[in-house]
Every structure is written in C-alpha cells, then in structure tokens.
Amino acid sequence: MRRLALLLMCLCLSFPVLAADAASGERKAVFGDVTVHYSAFTSSMLQPAIAASTGLDRSKNQGVLNVAVIKTGKPAMAVVSGTVKDLTGRASPLSFRQIIDQGSVYYIAQFKIDQAQTLIFDLNVETGGVSHPLSFNQQVFPGE
C-alpha cells in the first residue's frame, strides 16, 4: 500500500511536467536542413562553476535562453538575435553570446524574470546567409 501511495504521489507531481511537454512538444524548429533547438530556464538552476565559466549571472530573477543550431546533422555557426516581451508588449532585446564546448556550439542570452508570467521570444537565426524567424511563448517563474 505504501508503494502504491508513493507511486500515485510521484505521478501527481510529475503530471504538470508531462502535460507541459505534451502541449509544447519538443523545443525545436526545423527549416529544411537547419534545426534550431531552444530552451529557457531560470539561471539559478545552473551549477555555480558552469555559470562562472560561461559568464552568466546566477539569480532567481534571471533567465537564460539557450539556442543550438544543427545543419545537416552537425553543429553550425549562426548569428542569433531577438527580443523577449511580456504579454503587455513591453520588449527587451536579447544579447546572445556564442559558447563553443567540445565541438558543440551554443548561443546564450539572459533576461529578467520579475514574476511568474508568460514571455514571448522572437528570434532570428541566420546561418549560411539565410534568415530563419522563430517565435515561441514560455511561462517562466522566478527561481528559489
């Protein structure tokens, strides 16, 4: 009986995560042979050493947007730019930095998280002289 209760509790706690993944699908956009993977999270989730090595501020009120570009199955260089805005339309530019780590290429930018809210990310990913616009919404929460 105790195992059953533990299993039910775990399922209840994981359901919102599973529902969010089902609703949003995989966090990627495909443009022909170019695939753009993206994720946004609170920077307080980063290990201190990783935050320091990438020059990111670790804070419960700072988010990180991580973008990776894959072209024909291999990491690709790109120019990534964009803005983040709240539902009232107040926009802030995103300043991306390139991180190269063990053959992988990432583009990271930080943004403020003042409160639990839905943010709209409008990005432009340019690779090989071709621009790929990308827009997505994500609910964010200040960290612990």
Side-chain angles (χ1 to χ4, degrees), residues 59-74:
S59 169
K60 67 180 183 176
N61 295 100
Q62 286 287 314
V64 176
L65 178 59
N66 182 12
V67 176
V69 181
I70 308 294
K71 186 170 184 173
T72 59
K74 296 180 183 173

Side-chain angles (χ1 to χ4, degrees), residues 13-105:
L13 291 174
S14 65
F15 182 74
V17 172
L18 296 173
D21 281 348
S24 65
E26 191 174 354
R27 306 298 277 177
K28 72 176 183 178
V30 179
F31 306 96
D33 64 347
V34 174
T35 302
V36 179
H37 294 269
Y38 54 91
S39 63
F41 53 91
T42 306
S43 67
S44 61
M45 295 176 62
L46 293 170
Q47 294 295 321
I50 292 173
S53 70
T54 55
L56 294 171
D57 294 328
R58 255 182 112 242
S59 169
K60 67 180 183 176
N61 295 100
Q62 286 287 314
V64 176
L65 178 59
N66 182 12
V67 176
V69 181
I70 308 294
K71 186 170 184 173
T72 59
K74 296 180 183 173
M77 301 284 198
V79 176
V80 182
S81 59
T83 60
V84 58
K85 61 185 172 185
D86 61 20
L87 294 179
T88 66
R90 184 179 53 199
S92 299
L94 292 166
S95 178
F96 285 91
R97 292 190 316 254
Q98 182 184 65
I99 306 290
I100 299 175
D101 182 38
Q102 299 177 2
S104 297
V105 182

Side-chain angles (χ1 to χ4, degrees), residues 85-88 115-121 137-140:
K85 61 185 172 185
D86 61 20
L87 294 179
T88 66
Q115 62 188 1
Q117 62 185 324
T118 299
L119 294 176
I120 303 162
F121 295 88
N137 300 345
Q138 184 162 334
Q139 194 168 12
V140 297

Side-chain angles (χ1 to χ4, degrees), residues 104-116:
S104 297
V105 182
Y106 303 97
Y107 298 89
I108 56 173
Q110 285 204 269
F111 57 92
K112 288 186 179 186
I113 301 175
D114 296 324
Q115 62 188 1

